[in-house]
Amino acid sequence: MYNFNKIEKKWQEFWRKNKTYKVFEDSKKEKFYVLDMFPYPSGSGLSVGHPLGYIASDIYARYKTLKGFNVLHPMGYDSFGLPTEHYAIQTGIHPAIATFENTKRYRIQLDKIGFSYDWDREIQTSDPKYYKWTQWIFKQLFNSFFCKKTQKARDISELTAYFIKQGNHTLDAVCSEETPIFSASEWQKYSEVDKQKILLNYRLAFLSETWVNWCEKLGTVLANDEVKDGFSERGSYPVEQKLMQQWSLRITAYADRLLDGLKVLDWSTSIKEIQRNWIGKSVGANILFSVLKYNKNIKVFTTRPDTIFGVNFLVLAPEHPLCNVITIKSQKKDVKQYIDEIKLKSEKERKSEVKKITGVFTGSYAEHPITSKKIPIWIGDYVVSNYGTGAIMAVPCGDQRDWNFAQHFNIKKINVFKDVDISESANENDDIVIQNSDFLNNLSSSEAIEKVIAVLKEKGSGERAVTYRIRDAVFSRQRYWGEPFPVYYKNELPYLLEDNEVLELPEISEYLPTSSGEPPLARAKREQWKKFQGDRMEFNVMPGWAGSSWYFLRYMDPQNDVEFVNKQKVNYWKQVDLYIGGAEHAVGHLLYSRFWTKFLFDKGLIPFEEPFKKMINQGMILGRSNFVYKLKESNTFVSFDKKDKYETIRLHVDINLVENDFLNIEKFKKWRPENSSARFILNNDNKYLCSYEIEKMSKSKYNIHTPDILVEKFGADTLRLYEMFLGPIEQFKPWDSQGISGVHNFLKKFWKLIHNDKNEFFISESPPQKNELKNIHKTIKKVEEDIQRYSFNTVVSTLMICLNQLIEKKCNKRDIITDFTILLSPYTPHIAEEVWQKLGHKESITKSSFPKVNTKYLIDKNITYPVSFNGKKRFTIDVSSEASKEDIENIIMQYEKTIQYLNGNSPKKVIIVPNKIINFVV
Ligand code: ANZ
């Protein structure tokens, strides 16, 4: 009997006691780093969906170990985050306590599945020993700027040295738009406060005024997807656009390198494409239009300078700083009203409202830089403030949105180029020959672009420009459960805490914003901050992605208290060789960690600039939900097949109360108090039928299968094998517990093959035959090829086929079983260890090595047999040299020509002389 419970417990304990999975830097061995995206330890524990990627990476890690690599395969928790904070607000339980409980539960669940993690390397992002270093990296960002010439981050002290010598006239560095130009002597005359303000414009971590979705009632900034129709998704409170002082990281400085780096990554093309779009590089020109009577310039960004003769009006984004400045008196009221209206809409909403055209005229005009014609200046919300320059030159004959705007507001005198069809030319960069446009006549679009840029440059009213869609990343949150900034304020200017020690989260009484709308940390009193300095401390905390941007480095050296990671260690382990995780992180986590890695590389702290060489995104495991139908305004439930006669509401029902889609009414009545009095309209078979749907596995849909129950019923080895067997790792697939027993039987059959009736280990010591060797070596070859291409599911079927062949041949020979057990061990490590021990090994199977294919056994040699009937040769047949007499007889009896010659008779005798002849006596 295959007692998986006993076996699995035994080996999990063995691994723990012997620290089987502990790894050190070992210069004699080649390293391999396999990483999972670490989980956020939520209150609801793991479902069967979570371990899918973990199992795949564990198999790969174990395979690489067997191949002689020194494998780093760690695990930890991304443990700062909102759900825990909400839980704290609701229950008053400190988020650290809830986190502790949740991680404890995760650990128990993970341990039961038999992963090969080196748990001595566990990290938690909310642990002060960890976030000490997240804060330290923030300090490095604060103390750096980005030099465009060398395309890398450099120390801010180099910048001040430069300013002292030559001001910033000739400096080629990334900085905020509003940075003033100054000379060396001007710099020296600036006050300390002014100097700090200027430096903030260059720092890679900087404070600035940013437009955010502000919800007064909730006292916090909301992300775009937390806002619906101008109201908060939670609570439906009004949300407005507000300029707020926020920490941001200058990720835009790295836009080009983030784009270039994608080329060398072995990631899916779809994720690379998402990142490319997110970065959104556009090449064109910035063109200046002077505003008549106001002595101001409007700078527009365009990808089509060649359409300059088609400009009919300019449009400013409602947030553009010139809106108020250049609006004439009689238009002021309308403009103010319009801008106030727009403030209530989020950016996402504005972009999605394709059809609704809104705008207002400023009353002012600009001068066309080439023709000097008067051009009206409008304000419109189809122009977004944080793209390009937040202002455009509108070319109705070239751009559909400009055309629609002009039509809507009846902006007259639209230039239409001869022969240019609007719909075709809109948003295209194709070579359209532009007519009727002065010196551009008969030039192709690309020639015209060059020409216009040259002409404008000469006039000083335009230059080549590149714009990126990517924005600097807002890095502060008005929350509690995140990393506090190691920052204090003096005269409203931020300064870093000087020592390299951690600034711990202070204890506070409530996790809500203050009554004046300040973040929860503003509740902390002076003495609650262990290192209070200046006038006040920073009240914001870092966002969820701070800790996850560099965690892969900390696993290399998790206990280090003097460095974020030791240099020798990071030189040894280097990049993650294989990263497995969800595709939902295509932008956030994956982009930010690439950015931080490049930055740390620039600072000479790590020897590579891409964190994750190869990535696989596992598909989601979907759940099968069940539904009941409740009559409206009554406590009666109607069977699915009868529901059409009634007006009903569809409700999720816990799948544990349903069997084969039939509801267990007794259990259902006990499920919730109000169900005890429920009544039922049953179907003709007197049963209650539920409907079903395949959807995301989630607690709120009551369709979760937990690994715990399955492990108890079938064992972790079966669960591991089954999750892989479900299908290709990257595919989305529904969970179906039914198939699991088939996979379980496979392990039972294996057990039976090597045990006698008394459950005693029993194998044969005789040397394997050729066909048995061929069998196992074919399997070794296929298993290895499949694992190497991450085809984890096909390995399972290959092993199944091999086992069936062994059973058929009753082959339980030591050599064959030894190889087979090693092949099995990455998938089902517990049973493999048990058999390994029974085979007489003292050490763990993980210390053995992956069997080598011997191609000599793979060759299929054929023998050509003459086939005779009553001694007369009729035809020949090719049969494998390894076929047994029985095999040959089977093959020959099925053969088409044999059937023909036998003509319905069965032979009296079949004589087979191996390697010679086949003769039928009929
Ligand atoms: C004149 C023009 C003529 C344009 C034409 C397009 C076609 P991508 O490729 O996405 O970068 N634009 C610039 N800034 C904008 C903003 N803040 N909000 C909305 N639209 C903006 O698009 C660049 C084009 O989008 C720019 O080129 C500009 O319109 C518009 F036949 O300028 B174009």
Side-chain angles (χ1 to χ4, degrees):
M1 245 273 294
Y2 164 43
N3 188 342
F4 50 86
N5 279 327
K6 208 172 121 198
I7 294 171
E8 292 182 357
K9 225 177 251 141
K10 168 180 161 186
W11 288 101
Q12 283 165 13
E13 223 164 283
F14 177 94
W15 296 329
R16 196 168 21 243
K17 259 203 211 139
N18 293 283
K19 293 209 180 269
T20 306
Y21 302 117
K22 196 161 177 57
V23 280
F24 300 97
E25 298 67 43
D26 177 351
S27 57
K28 290 192 285 310
K29 276 187 174 174
E30 203 179 327
K31 69 94 194 188
F32 199 87
Y33 189 176
V34 184
L35 184 65
D36 298 292
M37 285 185 188
F38 63 165
Y40 173 78
S42 78
S44 45
L46 292 176
S47 80
V48 288
H50 294 107
L52 182 77
Y54 307 160
I55 294 169
S57 69
D58 198 57
I59 289 167
Y60 204 80
R62 286 173 181 276
Y63 162 71
K64 279 291 192 186
T65 306
L66 290 171
K67 291 296 284 185
F69 286 83
N70 191 25
V71 177
L72 178 58
H73 185 41
M75 185 45 103
Y77 305 100
D78 190 11
S79 47
F80 269 137
L82 254 196
T84 315
E85 182 163 327
H86 284 319
Y87 183 68
I89 293 169
Q90 282 161 14
T91 60
I93 293 174
H94 195 287
I97 294 172
T99 303
F100 177 77
E101 290 302 326
N102 292 347
T103 47
K104 203 165 84 185
R105 171 148 182 230
Y106 266 59
R107 176 66 192 272
I108 292 170
Q109 285 189 299
L110 289 170
D111 276 348
K112 276 193 195 155
I113 307 177
F115 292 117
S116 61
Y117 301 131
D118 176 359
W119 279 112
D120 288 348
R121 292 175 183 264
E122 177 190 312
I123 52 159
Q124 295 191 16
T125 54
S126 62
D127 178 352
K129 288 201 212 91
Y130 180 87
Y131 70 70
K132 165 181 174 172
W133 297 107
T134 309
Q135 291 174 339
W136 180 82
I137 296 174
F138 170 81
K139 287 179 176 177
Q140 309 311 305
L141 286 158
F142 184 82
N143 281 330
S144 304
F145 75 102
F146 193 85
C147 168
K148 279 199 205 164
K149 218 187 276 157
T150 52
Q151 274 292 304
K152 62 185 263 198
R154 292 168 65 170
D155 202 272
I156 205 90
S157 60
E158 292 186 53
L159 195 64
T160 35
Y162 192 93
F163 289 163
I164 292 170
K165 267 205 198 134
Q166 35 196 324
N168 70 352
H169 291 272
T170 50
L171 180 70
D172 201 8
V174 176
C175 62
S176 307
E177 181 97 345
E178 61 277 8
T179 314
I181 302 287
F182 51 83
S183 66
S185 62
E186 280 171 316
W187 170 258
Q188 267 149 18
K189 277 185 228 132
Y190 284 145
S191 67
E192 174 59 22
V193 170
D194 286 339
K195 281 183 182 167
Q196 285 304 329
K197 278 189 183 156
I198 286 172
L199 286 177
L200 266 184
N201 288 335
Y202 290 91
R203 295 182 189 278
L204 289 183
F206 63 103
L207 260 185
S208 72
E209 300 254 295
T210 312
W211 287 101
V212 290
N213 300 313
W214 174 252
C215 180
E216 186 70 41
K217 196 86 184 180
L218 293 176
T220 188
V221 164
L222 296 174
N224 280 344
D225 54 341
E226 293 171 318
V227 184
K228 276 256 145 63
D229 301 326
F231 290 87
S232 66
E233 206 167 33
R234 255 186 339 118
S236 285
Y237 304 118
V239 174
E240 57 177 308
Q241 296 289 298
K242 189 173 163 185
L243 256 187
M244 264 183 73
Q245 213 181 41
Q246 297 279 320
W247 283 102
S248 294
L249 299 188
R250 230 177 274 284
I251 189 173
T252 48
Y254 282 87
D256 271 325
R257 278 172 60 191
L258 288 167
L259 270 181
D260 286 347
L262 288 174
K263 289 182 206 138
V264 300
L265 296 180
D266 187 1
W267 293 13
S268 76
T269 41
S270 72
I271 295 233
K272 286 199 207 180
E273 199 47 33
I274 293 171
Q275 292 216 344
R276 244 176 239 124
N277 286 336
W278 185 264
I279 297 166
K281 184 174 181 173
S282 277
V283 180
N286 282 340
I287 301 177
L288 289 178
F289 287 77
S290 65
V291 184
L292 296 170
K293 295 198 184 128
Y294 281 88
N295 193 24
K296 292 275 173 205
N297 282 324
I298 291 176
K299 193 196 269 180
V300 306
F301 171 73
T302 174
T303 45
R304 297 289 308 275
D306 55 321
T307 62
I308 188 128
F309 289 101
V311 177
N312 285 95
F313 52 100
L314 302 185
V315 188
L316 305 179
E319 295 85 357
H320 197 287
L322 285 181
C323 287
N324 291 323
V325 181
I326 62 158
T327 298
I328 62 165
K329 235 184 182 165
S330 57
Q331 286 294 93
K332 278 219 179 321
K333 202 171 136 235
D334 286 1
V335 166
K336 184 177 182 309
Q337 195 186 344
Y338 178 69
I339 291 176
D340 285 346
E341 218 173 89
I342 297 300
K343 263 192 197 161
L344 291 172
K345 296 193 197 172
S346 72
E347 188 180 309
K348 190 175 164 201
E349 232 186 309
R350 279 167 53 182
K351 278 189 197 145
S352 64
E353 273 181 57
V354 197
K355 285 187 198 81
K356 202 168 158 216
I357 297 165
T358 70
V360 62
F361 183 40
T362 63
S364 282
Y365 291 84
E367 186 184 321
H368 191 286
I370 296 175
T371 66
S372 300
K373 275 189 193 147
K374 252 173 89 174
I375 298 170
I377 305 168
W378 283 71
I379 298 169
D381 75 342
Y382 77 102
V383 177
V384 290
S385 61
N386 54 10
Y387 185 65
T389 59
I392 64 152
M393 59 181 215
V395 184
C397 58
D399 186 292
Q400 193 68 49
R401 292 166 310 168
D402 297 346
W403 172 265
N404 296 345
F405 193 84
Q407 292 287 307
H408 187 84
F409 290 107
N410 202 13
I411 302 173
K412 292 274 165 44
K413 286 200 287 184
I414 291 175
N415 297 329
V416 179
F417 305 133
K418 250 190 264 157
D419 306 332
V420 177
D421 175 42
I422 295 151
S423 56
E424 256 184 32
S425 61
N427 289 327
E428 271 190 26
N429 280 331
D430 291 344
D431 282 354
I432 302 158
V433 177
I434 296 176
Q435 306 281 327
N436 211 10
S437 46
D438 202 286
F439 57 81
L440 300 183
N441 279 348
N442 300 322
L443 293 183
S444 73
S445 173
S446 48
E447 289 165 340
I449 286 174
E450 292 310 310
K451 179 94 194 185
V452 170
I453 292 177
V455 170
L456 291 173
K457 203 162 178 192
E458 181 130 348
K459 287 175 182 273
S461 51
E463 58 187 357
R464 210 178 290 283
V466 179
T467 283
Y468 299 88
R469 204 162 291 280
I470 189 172
R471 299 273 67 92
D472 282 331
V474 177
F475 195 63
S476 39
R477 299 286 183 271
Q478 296 69 49
R479 310 279 192 207
Y480 176 72
W481 195 229
E483 298 86 350
F485 285 85
V487 166
Y488 66 92
Y489 288 83
K490 221 168 58 188
N491 300 325
E492 278 313 298
L493 274 176
Y495 292 91
L496 294 183
L497 290 175
E498 285 199 349
D499 61 18
N500 268 341
E501 291 312 308
V502 63
L503 171 70
E504 286 196 40
L505 263 178
E507 296 300 326
I508 54 173
S509 51
E510 258 187 288
Y511 309 106
L512 288 168
T514 66
S515 51
S516 57
E518 286 187 301
L521 282 188
R523 292 178 180 274
K525 300 199 185 72
R526 219 169 228 272
E527 58 277 14
Q528 280 168 321
W529 290 99
K530 290 195 185 128
K531 302 186 196 181
F532 191 93
Q533 273 199 56
D535 305 329
R536 70 167 178 96
M537 301 298 283
E538 169 67 62
F539 297 148
N540 288 300
V541 295
M542 299 184 198
W545 53 268
S548 59
S549 292
W550 72 282
Y551 77 114
F552 73 99
L553 293 167
R554 188 66 181 171
Y555 282 132
M556 299 175 191
D557 195 11
Q559 314 300 344
N560 196 336
D561 201 35
V562 290
E563 286 166 296
F564 78 115
V565 60
N566 170 278
K567 210 150 193 175
Q568 274 158 359
K569 291 188 177 174
V570 71
N571 280 342
Y572 178 75
W573 292 113
K574 298 205 179 75
Q575 290 162 290
V576 173
D577 295 286
L578 174 64
Y579 195 31
I580 299 192
E584 66 275 18
H585 302 289
V587 175
H589 161 60
L590 291 170
L591 200 63
Y592 297 132
S593 47
R594 293 185 60 218
F595 160 41
W596 281 37
T597 305
K598 287 184 190 303
F599 168 72
L600 294 169
F601 170 77
D602 286 356
K603 301 294 278 183
L605 297 165
I606 55 173
F608 50 87
E609 62 169 312
E610 283 293 342
F612 316 117
K613 231 178 181 169
K614 158 87 192 161
M615 182 169 58
I616 293 182
N617 308 110
Q618 84 273 12
M620 210 191 291
I621 290 199
L622 303 166
R624 190 179 186 278
S625 313
N626 278 114
F627 300 91
V628 288
Y629 294 82
K630 189 171 181 277
L631 299 197
K632 271 197 173 152
E633 287 157 32
S634 119
N635 200 15
T636 303
F637 293 83
V638 54
S639 180
F640 173 55
D641 38 3
K642 289 249 166 126
K643 79 167 180 52
D644 289 346
K645 295 185 199 134
Y646 305 87
E647 234 186 285
T648 57
I649 319 166
R650 189 178 83 153
L651 299 169
H652 275 102
V653 60
D654 191 331
I655 51 165
N656 294 306
L657 314 178
V658 182
E659 221 168 279
N660 289 333
D661 289 336
F662 292 111
L663 183 69
N664 181 324
I665 290 178
E666 286 319 305
K667 281 189 186 169
F668 180 76
K669 282 186 160 182
K670 285 184 206 138
W671 187 34
R672 286 185 172 147
E674 66 269 27
N675 289 0
S676 61
S677 60
R679 284 187 296 175
F680 300 88
I681 301 171
L682 303 177
N683 69 8
N684 298 342
D685 296 330
N686 242 356
K687 285 183 167 172
Y688 189 100
L689 182 68
C690 301
S691 65
Y692 75 90
E693 201 175 296
I694 306 291
E695 49 185 358
K696 204 177 151 177
M697 209 179 265
S698 112
K699 212 177 164 189
S700 64
K701 301 185 192 325
Y702 302 102
N703 61 358
I704 289 201
H705 288 273
T706 64
D708 312 54
I709 293 176
L710 294 166
V711 165
E712 218 175 283
K713 250 172 112 175
F714 298 101
D717 283 341
T718 297
L719 177 80
R720 292 169 62 105
L721 206 56
Y722 185 56
E723 292 227 5
M724 291 301 102
F725 188 61
L726 280 179
I729 179 83
E730 283 165 299
Q731 234 166 51
F732 279 54
K733 43 208 170 247
W735 181 262
D736 171 13
S737 292
Q738 313 236 310
I740 200 166
S741 52
V743 170
H744 186 59
N745 280 340
F746 162 72
L747 292 180
K748 285 210 300 213
K749 282 196 301 194
F750 174 52
W751 188 263
K752 219 173 134 198
L753 178 67
I754 50 177
H755 288 82
N756 63 17
D757 293 345
K758 291 184 213 138
N759 202 27
E760 291 159 342
F761 189 62
F762 176 72
I763 50 161
S764 147
E765 298 295 340
S766 43
Q769 281 177 1
K770 258 195 182 163
N771 59 354
E772 292 164 338
L773 285 166
K774 184 175 170 189
N775 206 325
I776 193 76
H777 281 268
K778 262 188 161 170
T779 308
I780 296 167
K781 184 165 181 276
K782 176 99 168 63
V783 166
E784 177 141 37
E785 281 168 3
D786 286 357
I787 291 192
Q788 277 172 354
R789 57 186 181 95
Y790 315 102
S791 174
F792 299 103
N793 58 320
T794 52
V795 171
V796 183
S797 41
T798 303
L799 291 170
M800 286 175 164
I801 292 168
C802 179
L803 181 70
N804 282 341
Q805 286 166 343
L806 296 180
I807 291 172
E808 212 174 281
K809 296 188 182 103
K810 299 200 174 67
C811 169
N812 60 351
K813 293 178 179 158
R814 173 176 289 275
D815 291 357
I816 304 285
I817 297 300
T818 298
D819 282 352
F820 188 77
T821 308
I822 302 175
L823 291 184
L824 206 55
S825 69
Y827 280 76
T828 59
H830 309 85
I831 191 173
E833 289 278 25
E834 183 71 12
V835 173
W836 195 245
Q837 192 179 52
K838 290 185 171 187
L839 283 166
H841 299 277
K842 293 278 173 294
E843 268 196 320
S844 157
I845 193 166
T846 58
K847 312 290 179 219
S848 66
S849 48
F850 200 80
K852 284 201 173 63
V853 186
N854 191 338
T855 43
K856 155 173 123 191
Y857 299 123
L858 299 181
I859 301 162
D860 251 331
K861 245 179 44 206
N862 279 340
I863 292 173
T864 306
Y865 283 90
V867 183
S868 311
F869 287 78
N870 294 333
K872 194 164 183 166
K873 187 187 153 197
R874 296 291 184 186
F875 55 87
T876 60
I877 185 169
D878 289 344
V879 180
S880 159
S881 62
E882 276 147 41
S884 65
K885 254 184 166 180
E886 259 178 329
D887 290 340
I888 301 173
E889 186 167 340
N890 278 335
I891 293 165
I892 192 73
M893 287 306 290
Q894 312 275 326
Y895 195 57
E896 208 180 304
K897 284 192 176 151
T898 314
I899 295 166
Q900 196 185 319
Y901 279 99
L902 285 174
N903 199 16
N905 303 317
S906 41
K908 288 192 188 112
K909 210 174 176 187
V910 186
I911 303 159
I912 298 169
V913 186
N915 297 333
K916 287 230 165 81
I917 55 147
I918 300 170
N919 187 25
F920 282 89
V921 182
V922 276

